[in-house]
Amino acid sequence: PPAPLTPALSPGQAFTELQAKVMDTQQKVKLADLQIEQLTKTKKHAHLTDTEVMMLVDETRMYEGVGRMFILQPKGVIHNQLLEKQRIAEEKIKELEQKKSYLERSVKEAEDNIREMLMARRAQ
């Protein structure tokens, strides 16, 4: 007969694995929080910049930074780039919030499993 796919874990090994999973997942939640914070700042910066750009007259000469040079761009192009930057940041924030929600559920499930293991040990 074929060997089992996963070897059976002792209660101690299972407990240690669950603890490691909780810590790893909590780290991922913190990373998602940091990324969301950074994207929120990027989105706000683009919004504020766009607000200032839109107050300028249409004939204002505007330049876009590209590497170490600047390229003359019409106001409409700059406006559209700033709107796109905000839209992309918003999409990424939504994705990260969904991922964070999943990770938080995963942490809760693992913590519940750890509690059950501890209760079972005490009952013995």
Side-chain angles (χ1 to χ4, degrees):
L5 294 175
T6 55
L9 297 175
S10 72
Q13 288 172 319
F15 183 78
T16 305
E17 261 188 37
L18 274 173
Q19 279 184 316
K21 179 182 177 186
V22 166
M23 290 176 69
D24 181 53
T25 308
Q26 285 172 335
Q27 287 280 343
K28 289 178 182 174
V29 168
K30 286 179 187 173
L31 179 63
D33 278 335
L34 289 172
Q35 290 173 325
I36 288 169
E37 184 181 328
Q38 184 61 44
L39 285 165
T40 303
K41 286 179 185 176
T42 299
K43 182 180 155 192
K44 185 174 184 176
H45 183 268
H47 173 71
L48 292 172
T49 304
D50 189 45
T51 303
E52 293 296 317
V53 164
M54 294 313 292
M55 287 194 288
L56 301 170
V57 293
D58 288 346
E59 294 77 33
T60 304
R61 294 172 65 91
M62 295 186 196
Y63 295 86
E64 172 190 5
V66 180
R68 291 202 266 165
M69 65 180 179
F70 295 91
I71 298 175
L72 182 64
Q73 294 282 22
K75 180 179 171 182
V77 170
I78 300 288
H79 172 66
N80 289 336
Q81 287 174 345
L82 291 167
L83 290 178
E84 181 68 7
K85 195 173 192 177
Q86 291 175 65
R87 186 189 64 74
I88 289 170
E90 186 63 38
E91 282 179 8
K92 288 181 180 177
I93 287 170
K94 284 180 183 172
E95 286 174 21
L96 285 165
E97 284 174 344
Q98 288 174 347
K99 179 181 175 183
K100 181 180 160 190
S101 175
Y102 167 77
L103 290 169
E104 286 171 340
R105 283 194 308 271
S106 179
V107 166
K108 187 179 179 329
E109 287 174 16
E111 286 174 342
D112 289 346
N113 289 342
I114 288 173
R115 265 189 227 96
E116 286 176 24
M117 291 174 106
L118 290 174
M119 299 277 267
R121 280 189 187 173
R122 288 187 189 132
Q124 288 177 354

